[in-house]
Amino acid sequence: FAARAKDSWRWRMVAPYATAVVYPTLPAAIGMYNIEAGDTSEVQELTTAKVPGGYDAVRARLHSLRSPQDLEGLVTGATGRLVYEMLESQQPL
């Protein structure tokens, strides 16, 4: 892919709690979007959250959220509690 060097794209990933999150490997038909040696990557935003019912209770709705504050809508009932933290950076990894 000759134009790869000037292209850029964003990934939005949702994952359960883990000490590491790994980018998925995409199939060959769209393999140009896989991270390769020599690519530059950066994390522009990271949100961590602890929600009632855990990851399985909210994962179907996570990609439809517009901002981390929308996580508040995931708590239902009078006794639900949500804790989240947003980290933002413009520094390359």
Side-chain angles (χ1 to χ4, degrees):
F1 301 104
R4 180 177 167 79
K6 65 181 179 180
D7 290 339
S8 67
W9 53 89
R10 288 184 183 213
W11 286 69
R12 185 168 190 205
M13 295 173 25
V14 174
Y17 176 79
T19 56
V21 176
V22 178
Y23 286 95
T25 301
L26 299 173
I30 54 174
M32 70 184 120
Y33 297 108
N34 286 321
I35 299 229
E36 296 178 356
D39 286 349
T40 301
S41 64
E42 61 185 57
V43 176
Q44 292 183 336
E45 181 181 307
L46 170 66
T47 303
T48 61
K50 183 173 184 176
V51 296
Y55 175 73
D56 287 337
V58 297
R59 71 179 179 175
R61 297 173 49 197
L62 291 174
H63 279 294
S64 65
L65 302 177
R66 300 264 185 234
S67 74
Q69 289 79 12
D70 291 342
L71 288 168
E72 295 170 10
L74 299 177
V75 176
T76 58
T79 60
R81 180 174 176 221
L82 165 71
V83 178
Y84 70 88
E85 178 179 14
M86 282 179 31
L87 306 171
E88 294 185 35
S89 172
Q90 298 297 319
Q91 301 300 317
L93 296 176

